Amino acid sequence: MLRFYPVFVFSLLLPAVFHAQNNNIDFRAKISFPGQTLANVWGYAAPDGREYVLAGASKGLIIVDITNPDNPQQIVQIPGPNNLWKEIKTYREYAYVVSEGGQGIQVVDLSALPSANVPSKFYQGDGPIAGQLTRIHALHIDTATGYLYAYGGNLFGGGAKIFDLHTDPWNPAYAGKFDQLGYIHDGYVDNDLMFSGHIYAGQFAVVDMRDKSNPMVLATQNTPGNFTHNTWLTDDRSVILTTDEVNNSVLAAYDVSDPTDIRLLDQIQSNPGSNSVVHNTHILGNYAVTSWYKDGFTIVDITRPDNLVQTGNYDTYPGYAGGGFEGCWGVYPYFPSGAIAATNISAPGTSNNGELYIVTPTYTRACYLEGTVTDAISGLPIANAVVEIMGAPTPTLQSSGAGGAFKMGQAASGYFTARVVKGGYQTLEAPVLLENGQVTELHAALFPNGNLTVSGVVLSAGKKQPYEFASVFLFGRNQTYNTVADAAGAFSISGVQPGIYDIAANALTGANVMMSNQILIADTSLTIFLYPRLKPQARPGSEDDRMVVFPNPSGDAFTVECRLLPEQEGVLRLTDELGRTLWSRPVDADSPVVRITEKLPAGAYLLWLDAGAPAPPVRLFRQ
């Protein structure tokens, strides 16, 4: 659904934007593990409905029952290599743990849970690599085909080692390798299509893995930080999300529906300007859940992958911010209950006390604001104009691109003020209605700065005679000008900014008013002829003229006479130009005259009479 709003104009400098912490996420519990750090985290939902966190601690795999997220219970720690790096994935009822500390792949039989007597063993290769598999940095499992991909570590220059789990998950079997592009830090595989992260080459590769003995590289793509850490594919297989593990990094979205034409769609930072480092991202439906080291983790609405919008976040590392590799290592969002598990390498200010957070998110759809910025006079696009959504819990900023287009959004819905800023142009503000899951379109035509003189004469409509001492008004979005004509009906207003104005003239006779809407004033020598028109006598109950308003324009109160049929009732409503009701009052045929005494800013308003058949509004001008 698209919503359209009128032309507006804006201006400002682009500051750092720091998102509010712990937004749309509720804390449930935290467990600390003194004497050991935590690395990545995964989860397991048992057939009996119980849910378990699988946390990669430096001294081995920790299994925690979080079926009651407010009271998690550690079941067991299964010893493993004493090493900071641990990665875990699951296939069926088995967990697979790898580490830079060696010992190959640790296989854990989770079917024994909730018993603490959980069987495990180490697999170090078979066939041509029998006994050779030791260090592994990360892994991913293609659950659609039942193959495990081990990345980094020893063997084949840190390329991918592939193992068959489908035949016997307890006993992995070597099935092939992919080392044509060198070291792989992490990767994602779905239905034999691999997206491998080549961190030192700064790129991801798209690889056809159907033939494990002869993989085929379909494409490679460098990522914004040229240090590609991990990748994750959307459910429709059309978009890949990537992370770069460097200071001031981004979460990026690429269209990979055609590997021969990969396109960067958008990129987003947790806290722009803070220098924070992104780590691991996972996709759950239309959301990317991503760990950001010192920022904790974020939830980003990826429904429109060319307009990524952060709609939730939780700071697991309070009191710290910026670059560096401390804080949240991993996050797991796939529990059927909706709970999320996140791991801190260590508690803030400590060196080796890992932390596990359990939280519950509220997945909130983004409110989108999209449009273009153009020069109102030439119609040409304006690049690098800054668009800001003001009045939100977190200020939202975006710059227009080379074609003048901008795309942005936020989690909070409601009425807000949009502002656009560009040097050499006027700054205007306009209200916008933002709704969750909806796109509001706003096309901003910016007027250049100027200092114009608008002059003219007020003439009668019939005799073309001047109206002496008539009041003349120019109503712009952010400016209002007025003057009084002389005895010959001539007027002149100086210092007028170029723009679009409503123009009104109010003659001394009181009821003689002429209004002309949407007049473009961009010429310094423009002369405007205003022809006051006499308001005809309305017939009672006629649909073409059911209200008489005087005075209009007015600097004080408006008097409204409603022309209603006998015993007819209705509601008189005053709205702004976006239709927001500012004032309302019931009326009937016995009490048809109403005074509007609301204190309103100078500008144009709409007055509606809802009394059965629809009727157009009367435009009011507050001077």
Side-chain angles (χ1 to χ4, degrees):
M1 176 179 180
L2 299 179
R3 295 195 179 276
F4 298 86
Y5 287 94
V7 172
F8 70 80
V9 190
F10 308 25
S11 173
L12 89 132
L13 297 176
L14 185 62
V17 176
F18 295 93
H19 290 284
Q21 296 303 317
N22 306 342
N23 181 37
N24 287 328
I25 297 173
D26 294 324
F27 172 84
R28 304 303 293 272
K30 181 178 73 173
I31 303 178
S32 297
F33 301 94
Q36 59 180 327
T37 55
L38 294 188
N40 218 347
V41 62
W42 200 249
Y44 173 66
D48 64 1
R50 304 190 73 81
E51 296 180 344
Y52 300 92
V53 168
L54 310 177
S58 57
K59 296 180 181 179
L61 178 68
I62 296 175
I63 302 178
V64 179
D65 186 339
I66 65 159
T67 307
N68 178 357
D70 298 314
N71 187 28
Q73 299 293 317
Q74 180 174 331
I75 301 297
V76 66
Q77 178 163 24
I78 302 172
N82 192 345
N83 186 269
L84 169 66
W85 285 273
K86 294 286 195 314
E87 297 280 333
I88 312 105
K89 296 294 186 294
T90 55
Y91 178 69
R92 298 179 184 171
E93 68 272 25
Y94 296 91
Y96 301 86
V97 187
V98 299
S99 172
E100 288 280 7
Q103 300 188 31
I105 300 171
Q106 187 175 18
V107 186
V108 181
D109 185 353
L110 301 175
S111 64
L113 293 171
S115 168
N117 186 20
V118 179
S120 69
K121 68 175 186 178
F122 287 94
Y123 163 76
Q124 294 183 315
D126 66 286
I129 64 165
Q132 300 178 47
L133 187 64
T134 57
R135 294 181 297 104
I136 299 170
H137 185 78
L139 79 160
H140 192 266
I141 297 175
D142 184 353
T143 55
T145 61
Y147 283 88
L148 183 153
Y149 288 71
Y151 304 113
N154 73 312
L155 294 181
F156 314 125
K161 283 73 67 174
I162 304 116
F163 303 92
D164 181 3
L165 303 179
H166 183 269
T167 304
D168 182 359
W170 179 248
N171 294 296
Y174 177 71
K177 63 181 175 67
F178 172 72
D179 59 354
Q180 288 94 313
L181 298 177
Y183 179 85
I184 301 173
H185 198 70
D186 203 346
Y188 182 94
V189 193
D190 179 62
N191 269 306
D192 290 323
L193 188 64
M194 179 171 67
F195 296 86
S196 49
H198 301 267
I199 194 166
Y200 300 119
Q203 64 183 16
F204 68 86
V206 185
V207 187
D208 183 342
M209 296 298 302
R210 286 176 293 183
D211 184 352
K212 307 295 186 295
S213 64
N214 186 30
M216 296 181 58
V217 177
L218 304 179
T220 59
Q221 173 66 50
N222 279 78
T223 51
N226 288 307
F227 207 69
T228 316
H229 179 260
N230 97 304
T231 61
W232 212 271
L233 189 66
T234 57
D235 292 346
D236 64 4
R237 297 166 58 88
S238 66
V239 175
I240 196 82
L241 274 291
T242 68
T243 62
D244 287 286
E245 195 180 11
V246 293
N247 287 344
N248 198 34
S249 50
V250 300
L251 174 68
Y254 289 87
D255 183 344
V256 293
S257 56
D258 178 2
T260 66
D261 183 27
I262 296 175
R263 293 178 295 113
L264 175 64
L265 299 173
D266 197 13
Q267 55 192 37
I268 189 172
Q269 293 181 304
S270 170
N271 279 319
S274 73
N275 213 33
S276 57
V277 182
V278 68
H279 196 206
N280 291 308
T281 191
H282 302 83
I283 293 174
L284 176 64
N286 291 330
Y287 298 92
V289 184
T290 310
S291 55
W292 282 84
Y293 280 116
K294 292 181 181 178
D295 287 344
F297 71 91
T298 65
I299 297 175
V300 171
D301 187 341
I302 62 170
T303 307
R304 297 173 69 81
D306 58 348
N307 189 1
L308 303 176
V309 178
Q310 183 171 312
T311 59
N313 54 297
Y314 192 90
D315 186 3
T316 65
Y317 209 65
Y320 293 80
F325 308 96
E326 307 164 15
C328 187
W329 181 298
V331 59
Y332 179 81
Y334 300 116
F335 289 112
S337 67
I340 287 179
T343 48
N344 273 352
I345 301 171
S346 61
T350 70
S351 59
N352 61 351
N353 295 334
E355 292 182 320
L356 171 65
Y357 276 82
I358 308 300
V359 298
T360 300
T362 298
Y363 290 103
T364 303
R365 284 299 318 279
C367 305
Y368 300 99
L369 182 65
E370 301 180 1
T372 56
V373 183
T374 58
D375 186 298
I377 307 303
S378 68
L380 295 175
I382 297 176
N384 300 318
V386 178
V387 183
E388 179 181 11
I389 300 174
M390 304 173 66
T394 302
T396 306
L397 306 174
Q398 185 60 265
S399 295
S400 59
F406 68 89
K407 296 181 179 182
M408 60 196 304
Q410 62 183 36
S413 62
Y415 284 100
F416 297 91
T417 298
R419 183 203 281 176
V420 180
V421 177
K422 176 67 177 178
Y425 288 87
Q426 297 175 45
T427 298
L428 294 180
E429 297 177 357
V432 291
L433 172 61
L434 301 180
E435 299 175 280
N436 295 107
Q438 306 297 329
V439 178
T440 296
E441 279 204 358
L442 197 157
H443 299 289
L446 307 188
F447 285 92
N449 292 324
N451 189 5
L452 312 180
T453 297
V454 179
S455 59
V457 63
V458 181
L459 303 176
S460 67
K463 298 180 180 180
K464 303 295 190 295
Q465 296 298 313
Y467 270 107
E468 61 181 10
F469 308 121
S471 296
V472 180
F473 304 89
L474 303 181
F475 295 100
R477 285 200 170 272
N478 278 1
Q479 301 94 7
T480 299
Y481 305 95
N482 67 281
T483 190
V484 176
D486 61 19
F491 68 89
S492 179
I493 305 175
S494 60
V496 177
Q497 290 290 320
I500 293 177
Y501 293 87
D502 290 297
I503 302 174
N506 189 354
L508 286 178
T509 53
N512 297 324
V513 178
M514 183 276 180
M515 290 169 287
S516 181
N517 301 332
Q518 304 292 290
I519 299 298
L520 173 64
I521 297 178
D523 302 316
T524 56
S525 60
L526 181 66
T527 298
I528 301 174
F529 293 91
L530 302 178
Y531 296 87
R533 99 184 143 220
L534 292 172
K535 185 176 276 295
Q537 180 66 34
R539 300 184 306 276
S542 66
E543 297 297 335
D544 58 344
D545 197 354
R546 297 195 300 175
M547 287 181 286
V548 174
V549 182
F550 57 90
N552 188 17
S554 173
D556 189 14
F558 297 92
T559 298
V560 184
E561 180 184 349
C562 301
R563 304 296 179 85
L564 298 172
L565 294 171
E567 300 184 359
Q568 189 176 14
E569 298 179 345
V571 175
L572 202 60
R573 289 188 302 116
L574 183 69
T575 74
D576 62 15
E577 293 182 300
L578 294 180
R580 295 179 294 186
T581 298
L582 307 176
W583 172 94
S584 66
R585 182 75 55 81
V587 293
D588 56 42
D590 294 329
S591 302
V593 178
V594 176
R595 280 176 60 80
I596 301 176
T597 59
E598 296 293 300
K599 294 186 181 298
L600 302 169
Y605 300 87
L606 299 175
L607 185 65
W608 306 78
L609 178 57
D610 302 327
V618 171
R619 200 171 181 86
L620 303 188
F621 296 91
R622 169 53 62 85
Q623 63 191 63

mmCIF file with all atom_site columns, all heavy atoms in Angstrom, residues 291-308:
data_model
loop_
_atom_site.group_PDB
_atom_site.id
_atom_site.type_symbol
_atom_site.label_atom_id
_atom_site.label_alt_id
_atom_site.label_comp_id
_atom_site.label_asym_id
_atom_site.label_entity_id
_atom_site.label_seq_id
_atom_site.pdbx_PDB_ins_code
_atom_site.Cartn_x
_atom_site.Cartn_y
_atom_site.Cartn_z
_atom_site.occupancy
_atom_site.B_iso_or_equiv
_atom_site.pdbx_formal_charge
_atom_site.auth_seq_id
_atom_site.auth_comp_id
_atom_site.auth_asym_id
_atom_site.auth_atom_id
_atom_site.pdbx_PDB_model_num
ATOM 1   N N   . SER A 1 291 ? 24.367 -10.132 15.305 1.00 0.00 ? 291 SER A N   1
ATOM 2   C CA  . SER A 1 291 ? 25.204 -9.707  16.436 1.00 0.00 ? 291 SER A CA  1
ATOM 3   C C   . SER A 1 291 ? 26.162 -8.615  15.972 1.00 0.00 ? 291 SER A C   1
ATOM 4   O O   . SER A 1 291 ? 26.706 -8.657  14.870 1.00 0.00 ? 291 SER A O   1
ATOM 5   C CB  . SER A 1 291 ? 25.985 -10.895 17.003 1.00 0.00 ? 291 SER A CB  1
ATOM 6   O OG  . SER A 1 291 ? 26.746 -11.547 16.009 1.00 0.00 ? 291 SER A OG  1
ATOM 7   N N   . TRP A 1 292 ? 26.374 -7.623  16.874 1.00 0.00 ? 292 TRP A N   1
ATOM 8   C CA  . TRP A 1 292 ? 27.174 -6.444  16.556 1.00 0.00 ? 292 TRP A CA  1
ATOM 9   C C   . TRP A 1 292 ? 28.209 -6.159  17.645 1.00 0.00 ? 292 TRP A C   1
ATOM 10  O O   . TRP A 1 292 ? 28.460 -5.002  18.000 1.00 0.00 ? 292 TRP A O   1
ATOM 11  C CB  . TRP A 1 292 ? 26.288 -5.214  16.387 1.00 0.00 ? 292 TRP A CB  1
ATOM 12  C CG  . TRP A 1 292 ? 25.577 -5.122  15.081 1.00 0.00 ? 292 TRP A CG  1
ATOM 13  C CD1 . TRP A 1 292 ? 24.399 -5.707  14.759 1.00 0.00 ? 292 TRP A CD1 1
ATOM 14  C CD2 . TRP A 1 292 ? 25.990 -4.384  13.925 1.00 0.00 ? 292 TRP A CD2 1
ATOM 15  N NE1 . TRP A 1 292 ? 24.038 -5.382  13.473 1.00 0.00 ? 292 TRP A NE1 1
ATOM 16  C CE2 . TRP A 1 292 ? 25.002 -4.581  12.936 1.00 0.00 ? 292 TRP A CE2 1
ATOM 17  C CE3 . TRP A 1 292 ? 27.092 -3.585  13.630 1.00 0.00 ? 292 TRP A CE3 1
ATOM 18  C CZ2 . TRP A 1 292 ? 25.093 -3.998  11.671 1.00 0.00 ? 292 TRP A CZ2 1
ATOM 19  C CZ3 . TRP A 1 292 ? 27.180 -3.007  12.378 1.00 0.00 ? 292 TRP A CZ3 1
ATOM 20  C CH2 . TRP A 1 292 ? 26.199 -3.215  11.409 1.00 0.00 ? 292 TRP A CH2 1
ATOM 21  N N   . TYR A 1 293 ? 28.835 -7.178  18.207 1.00 0.00 ? 293 TYR A N   1
ATOM 22  C CA  . TYR A 1 293 ? 29.849 -6.997  19.241 1.00 0.00 ? 293 TYR A CA  1
ATOM 23  C C   . TYR A 1 293 ? 29.383 -6.007  20.317 1.00 0.00 ? 293 TYR A C   1
ATOM 24  O O   . TYR A 1 293 ? 28.482 -6.316  21.083 1.00 0.00 ? 293 TYR A O   1
ATOM 25  C CB  . TYR A 1 293 ? 31.193 -6.591  18.638 1.00 0.00 ? 293 TYR A CB  1
ATOM 26  C CG  . TYR A 1 293 ? 31.963 -7.764  18.066 1.00 0.00 ? 293 TYR A CG  1
ATOM 27  C CD1 . TYR A 1 293 ? 32.256 -7.852  16.700 1.00 0.00 ? 293 TYR A CD1 1
ATOM 28  C CD2 . TYR A 1 293 ? 32.406 -8.805  18.883 1.00 0.00 ? 293 TYR A CD2 1
ATOM 29  C CE1 . TYR A 1 293 ? 32.963 -8.932  16.184 1.00 0.00 ? 293 TYR A CE1 1
ATOM 30  C CE2 . TYR A 1 293 ? 33.117 -9.878  18.369 1.00 0.00 ? 293 TYR A CE2 1
ATOM 31  C CZ  . TYR A 1 293 ? 33.391 -9.942  17.021 1.00 0.00 ? 293 TYR A CZ  1
ATOM 32  O OH  . TYR A 1 293 ? 34.090 -11.008 16.507 1.00 0.00 ? 293 TYR A OH  1
ATOM 33  N N   . LYS A 1 294 ? 29.952 -4.805  20.418 1.00 0.00 ? 294 LYS A N   1
ATOM 34  C CA  . LYS A 1 294 ? 29.666 -3.898  21.528 1.00 0.00 ? 294 LYS A CA  1
ATOM 35  C C   . LYS A 1 294 ? 28.239 -3.332  21.501 1.00 0.00 ? 294 LYS A C   1
ATOM 36  O O   . LYS A 1 294 ? 27.810 -2.736  22.485 1.00 0.00 ? 294 LYS A O   1
ATOM 37  C CB  . LYS A 1 294 ? 30.672 -2.748  21.545 1.00 0.00 ? 294 LYS A CB  1
ATOM 38  C CG  . LYS A 1 294 ? 32.084 -3.189  21.899 1.00 0.00 ? 294 LYS A CG  1
ATOM 39  C CD  . LYS A 1 294 ? 33.044 -2.018  21.935 1.00 0.00 ? 294 LYS A CD  1
ATOM 40  C CE  . LYS A 1 294 ? 34.460 -2.465  22.253 1.00 0.00 ? 294 LYS A CE  1
ATOM 41  N NZ  . LYS A 1 294 ? 35.417 -1.339  22.249 1.00 0.00 ? 294 LYS A NZ  1
ATOM 42  N N   . ASP A 1 295 ? 27.520 -3.516  20.391 1.00 0.00 ? 295 ASP A N   1
ATOM 43  C CA  . ASP A 1 295 ? 26.134 -3.035  20.326 1.00 0.00 ? 295 ASP A CA  1
ATOM 44  C C   . ASP A 1 295 ? 25.118 -4.107  20.708 1.00 0.00 ? 295 ASP A C   1
ATOM 45  O O   . ASP A 1 295 ? 23.915 -3.848  20.672 1.00 0.00 ? 295 ASP A O   1
ATOM 46  C CB  . ASP A 1 295 ? 25.803 -2.533  18.919 1.00 0.00 ? 295 ASP A CB  1
ATOM 47  C CG  . ASP A 1 295 ? 26.470 -1.202  18.610 1.00 0.00 ? 295 ASP A CG  1
ATOM 48  O OD1 . ASP A 1 295 ? 26.926 -0.546  19.558 1.00 0.00 ? 295 ASP A OD1 1
ATOM 49  O OD2 . ASP A 1 295 ? 26.531 -0.835  17.428 1.00 0.00 ? 295 ASP A OD2 1
ATOM 50  N N   . GLY A 1 296 ? 25.567 -5.321  21.028 1.00 0.00 ? 296 GLY A N   1
ATOM 51  C CA  . GLY A 1 296 ? 24.613 -6.396  21.280 1.00 0.00 ? 296 GLY A CA  1
ATOM 52  C C   . GLY A 1 296 ? 24.117 -6.977  19.969 1.00 0.00 ? 296 GLY A C   1
ATOM 53  O O   . GLY A 1 296 ? 24.910 -7.342  19.108 1.00 0.00 ? 296 GLY A O   1
ATOM 54  N N   . PHE A 1 297 ? 22.793 -7.046  19.802 1.00 0.00 ? 297 PHE A N   1
ATOM 55  C CA  . PHE A 1 297 ? 22.289 -7.554  18.528 1.00 0.00 ? 297 PHE A CA  1
ATOM 56  C C   . PHE A 1 297 ? 21.102 -6.715  18.068 1.00 0.00 ? 297 PHE A C   1
ATOM 57  O O   . PHE A 1 297 ? 20.461 -6.004  18.850 1.00 0.00 ? 297 PHE A O   1
ATOM 58  C CB  . PHE A 1 297 ? 21.919 -9.033  18.609 1.00 0.00 ? 297 PHE A CB  1
ATOM 59  C CG  . PHE A 1 297 ? 20.689 -9.346  19.417 1.00 0.00 ? 297 PHE A CG  1
ATOM 60  C CD1 . PHE A 1 297 ? 19.437 -9.395  18.822 1.00 0.00 ? 297 PHE A CD1 1
ATOM 61  C CD2 . PHE A 1 297 ? 20.775 -9.611  20.774 1.00 0.00 ? 297 PHE A CD2 1
ATOM 62  C CE1 . PHE A 1 297 ? 18.303 -9.684  19.546 1.00 0.00 ? 297 PHE A CE1 1
ATOM 63  C CE2 . PHE A 1 297 ? 19.643 -9.914  21.518 1.00 0.00 ? 297 PHE A CE2 1
ATOM 64  C CZ  . PHE A 1 297 ? 18.399 -9.944  20.903 1.00 0.00 ? 297 PHE A CZ  1
ATOM 65  N N   . THR A 1 298 ? 20.805 -6.803  16.768 1.00 0.00 ? 298 THR A N   1
ATOM 66  C CA  . THR A 1 298 ? 19.735 -6.017  16.160 1.00 0.00 ? 298 THR A CA  1
ATOM 67  C C   . THR A 1 298 ? 18.768 -6.926  15.409 1.00 0.00 ? 298 THR A C   1
ATOM 68  O O   . THR A 1 298 ? 19.105 -8.050  15.033 1.00 0.00 ? 298 THR A O   1
ATOM 69  C CB  . THR A 1 298 ? 20.284 -4.983  15.166 1.00 0.00 ? 298 THR A CB  1
ATOM 70  O OG1 . THR A 1 298 ? 20.895 -5.678  14.057 1.00 0.00 ? 298 THR A OG1 1
ATOM 71  C CG2 . THR A 1 298 ? 21.303 -4.072  15.820 1.00 0.00 ? 298 THR A CG2 1
ATOM 72  N N   . ILE A 1 299 ? 17.571 -6.398  15.197 1.00 0.00 ? 299 ILE A N   1
ATOM 73  C CA  . ILE A 1 299 ? 16.581 -7.027  14.317 1.00 0.00 ? 299 ILE A CA  1
ATOM 74  C C   . ILE A 1 299 ? 16.286 -6.028  13.210 1.00 0.00 ? 299 ILE A C   1
ATOM 75  O O   . ILE A 1 299 ? 15.928 -4.878  13.477 1.00 0.00 ? 299 ILE A O   1
ATOM 76  C CB  . ILE A 1 299 ? 15.294 -7.385  15.076 1.00 0.00 ? 299 ILE A CB  1
ATOM 77  C CG1 . ILE A 1 299 ? 15.583 -8.418  16.168 1.00 0.00 ? 299 ILE A CG1 1
ATOM 78  C CG2 . ILE A 1 299 ? 14.233 -7.915  14.114 1.00 0.00 ? 299 ILE A CG2 1
ATOM 79  C CD1 . ILE A 1 299 ? 14.394 -8.746  17.037 1.00 0.00 ? 299 ILE A CD1 1
ATOM 80  N N   . VAL A 1 300 ? 16.452 -6.468  11.970 1.00 0.00 ? 300 VAL A N   1
ATOM 81  C CA  . VAL A 1 300 ? 16.245 -5.601  10.810 1.00 0.00 ? 300 VAL A CA  1
ATOM 82  C C   . VAL A 1 300 ? 15.146 -6.193  9.931  1.00 0.00 ? 300 VAL A C   1
ATOM 83  O O   . VAL A 1 300 ? 15.188 -7.384  9.595  1.00 0.00 ? 300 VAL A O   1
ATOM 84  C CB  . VAL A 1 300 ? 17.553 -5.445  9.996  1.00 0.00 ? 300 VAL A CB  1
ATOM 85  C CG1 . VAL A 1 300 ? 17.291 -4.720  8.678  1.00 0.00 ? 300 VAL A CG1 1
ATOM 86  C CG2 . VAL A 1 300 ? 18.602 -4.696  10.812 1.00 0.00 ? 300 VAL A CG2 1
ATOM 87  N N   . ASP A 1 301 ? 14.163 -5.370  9.589  1.00 0.00 ? 301 ASP A N   1
ATOM 88  C CA  . ASP A 1 301 ? 13.110 -5.785  8.657  1.00 0.00 ? 301 ASP A CA  1
ATOM 89  C C   . ASP A 1 301 ? 13.710 -5.790  7.251  1.00 0.00 ? 301 ASP A C   1
ATOM 90  O O   . ASP A 1 301 ? 14.133 -4.748  6.744  1.00 0.00 ? 301 ASP A O   1
ATOM 91  C CB  . ASP A 1 301 ? 11.932 -4.811  8.742  1.00 0.00 ? 301 ASP A CB  1
ATOM 92  C CG  . ASP A 1 301 ? 10.729 -5.269  7.925  1.00 0.00 ? 301 ASP A CG  1
ATOM 93  O OD1 . ASP A 1 301 ? 10.893 -6.118  7.029  1.00 0.00 ? 301 ASP A OD1 1
ATOM 94  O OD2 . ASP A 1 301 ? 9.619  -4.772  8.188  1.00 0.00 ? 301 ASP A OD2 1
ATOM 95  N N   . ILE A 1 302 ? 13.733 -6.965  6.621  1.00 0.00 ? 302 ILE A N   1
ATOM 96  C CA  . ILE A 1 302 ? 14.315 -7.093  5.285  1.00 0.00 ? 302 ILE A CA  1
ATOM 97  C C   . ILE A 1 302 ? 13.236 -7.368  4.237  1.00 0.00 ? 302 ILE A C   1
ATOM 98  O O   . ILE A 1 302 ? 13.542 -7.828  3.138  1.00 0.00 ? 302 ILE A O   1
ATOM 99  C CB  . ILE A 1 302 ? 15.393 -8.202  5.246  1.00 0.00 ? 302 ILE A CB  1
ATOM 100 C CG1 . ILE A 1 302 ? 14.768 -9.571  5.573  1.00 0.00 ? 302 ILE A CG1 1
ATOM 101 C CG2 . ILE A 1 302 ? 16.536 -7.873  6.194  1.00 0.00 ? 302 ILE A CG2 1
ATOM 102 C CD1 . ILE A 1 302 ? 15.701 -10.744 5.319  1.00 0.00 ? 302 ILE A CD1 1
ATOM 103 N N   . THR A 1 303 ? 11.975 -7.081  4.575  1.00 0.00 ? 303 THR A N   1
ATOM 104 C CA  . THR A 1 303 ? 10.885 -7.312  3.625  1.00 0.00 ? 303 THR A CA  1
ATOM 105 C C   . THR A 1 303 ? 11.147 -6.596  2.312  1.00 0.00 ? 303 THR A C   1
ATOM 106 O O   . THR A 1 303 ? 10.882 -7.127  1.236  1.00 0.00 ? 303 THR A O   1
ATOM 107 C CB  . THR A 1 303 ? 9.556  -6.835  4.219  1.00 0.00 ? 303 THR A CB  1
ATOM 108 O OG1 . THR A 1 303 ? 9.366  -7.447  5.499  1.00 0.00 ? 303 THR A OG1 1
ATOM 109 C CG2 . THR A 1 303 ? 8.393  -7.200  3.312  1.00 0.00 ? 303 THR A CG2 1
ATOM 110 N N   . ARG A 1 304 ? 11.629 -5.371  2.411  1.00 0.00 ? 304 ARG A N   1
ATOM 111 C CA  . ARG A 1 304 ? 12.057 -4.614  1.229  1.00 0.00 ? 304 ARG A CA  1
ATOM 112 C C   . ARG A 1 304 ? 13.584 -4.557  1.293  1.00 0.00 ? 304 ARG A C   1
ATOM 113 O O   . ARG A 1 304 ? 14.150 -3.648  1.927  1.00 0.00 ? 304 ARG A O   1
ATOM 114 C CB  . ARG A 1 304 ? 11.457 -3.215  1.235  1.00 0.00 ? 304 ARG A CB  1
ATOM 115 C CG  . ARG A 1 304 ? 9.933  -3.220  1.156  1.00 0.00 ? 304 ARG A CG  1
ATOM 116 C CD  . ARG A 1 304 ? 9.332  -1.840  1.329  1.00 0.00 ? 304 ARG A CD  1
ATOM 117 N NE  . ARG A 1 304 ? 9.616  -0.955  0.218  1.00 0.00 ? 304 ARG A NE  1
ATOM 118 C CZ  . ARG A 1 304 ? 8.959  -0.933  -0.930 1.00 0.00 ? 304 ARG A CZ  1
ATOM 119 N NH1 . ARG A 1 304 ? 7.956  -1.778  -1.124 1.00 0.00 ? 304 ARG A NH1 1
ATOM 120 N NH2 . ARG A 1 304 ? 9.271  -0.079  -1.892 1.00 0.00 ? 304 ARG A NH2 1
ATOM 121 N N   . PRO A 1 305 ? 14.272 -5.512  0.677  1.00 0.00 ? 305 PRO A N   1
ATOM 122 C CA  . PRO A 1 305 ? 15.733 -5.595  0.863  1.00 0.00 ? 305 PRO A CA  1
ATOM 123 C C   . PRO A 1 305 ? 16.493 -4.403  0.309  1.00 0.00 ? 305 PRO A C   1
ATOM 124 O O   . PRO A 1 305 ? 17.664 -4.233  0.637  1.00 0.00 ? 305 PRO A O   1
ATOM 125 C CB  . PRO A 1 305 ? 16.101 -6.895  0.133  1.00 0.00 ? 305 PRO A CB  1
ATOM 126 C CG  . PRO A 1 305 ? 14.986 -7.145  -0.819 1.00 0.00 ? 305 PRO A CG  1
ATOM 127 C CD  . PRO A 1 305 ? 13.746 -6.590  -0.171 1.00 0.00 ? 305 PRO A CD  1
ATOM 128 N N   . ASP A 1 306 ? 15.832 -3.580  -0.506 1.00 0.00 ? 306 ASP A N   1
ATOM 129 C CA  . ASP A 1 306 ? 16.482 -2.355  -0.959 1.00 0.00 ? 306 ASP A CA  1
ATOM 130 C C   . ASP A 1 306 ? 16.230 -1.203  0.003  1.00 0.00 ? 306 ASP A C   1
ATOM 131 O O   . ASP A 1 306 ? 16.636 -0.063  -0.252 1.00 0.00 ? 306 ASP A O   1
ATOM 132 C CB  . ASP A 1 306 ? 16.016 -1.982  -2.369 1.00 0.00 ? 306 ASP A CB  1
ATOM 133 C CG  . ASP A 1 306 ? 14.507 -1.800  -2.464 1.00 0.00 ? 306 ASP A CG  1
ATOM 134 O OD1 . ASP A 1 306 ? 13.795 -2.182  -1.512 1.00 0.00 ? 306 ASP A OD1 1
ATOM 135 O OD2 . ASP A 1 306 ? 14.034 -1.284  -3.497 1.00 0.00 ? 306 ASP A OD2 1
ATOM 136 N N   . ASN A 1 307 ? 15.557 -1.496  1.131  1.00 0.00 ? 307 ASN A N   1
ATOM 137 C CA  . ASN A 1 307 ? 15.326 -0.491  2.162  1.00 0.00 ? 307 ASN A CA  1
ATOM 138 C C   . ASN A 1 307 ? 15.333 -1.205  3.513  1.00 0.00 ? 307 ASN A C   1
ATOM 139 O O   . ASN A 1 307 ? 14.275 -1.482  4.095  1.00 0.00 ? 307 ASN A O   1
ATOM 140 C CB  . ASN A 1 307 ? 14.004 0.235   1.928  1.00 0.00 ? 307 ASN A CB  1
ATOM 141 C CG  . ASN A 1 307 ? 13.821 1.439   2.850  1.00 0.00 ? 307 ASN A CG  1
ATOM 142 O OD1 . ASN A 1 307 ? 14.693 1.757   3.660  1.00 0.00 ? 307 ASN A OD1 1
ATOM 143 N ND2 . ASN A 1 307 ? 12.690 2.092   2.740  1.00 0.00 ? 307 ASN A ND2 1
ATOM 144 N N   . LEU A 1 308 ? 16.517 -1.523  4.018  1.00 0.00 ? 308 LEU A N   1
ATOM 145 C CA  . LEU A 1 308 ? 16.670 -2.229  5.288  1.00 0.00 ? 308 LEU A CA  1
ATOM 146 C C   . LEU A 1 308 ? 16.370 -1.265  6.435  1.00 0.00 ? 308 LEU A C   1
ATOM 147 O O   . LEU A 1 308 ? 16.896 -0.159  6.475  1.00 0.00 ? 308 LEU A O   1
ATOM 148 C CB  . LEU A 1 308 ? 18.092 -2.766  5.429  1.00 0.00 ? 308 LEU A CB  1
ATOM 149 C CG  . LEU A 1 308 ? 18.584 -3.696  4.310  1.00 0.00 ? 308 LEU A CG  1
ATOM 150 C CD1 . LEU A 1 308 ? 20.052 -4.072  4.532  1.00 0.00 ? 308 LEU A CD1 1
ATOM 151 C CD2 . LEU A 1 308 ? 17.724 -4.951  4.231  1.00 0.00 ? 308 LEU A CD2 1
#
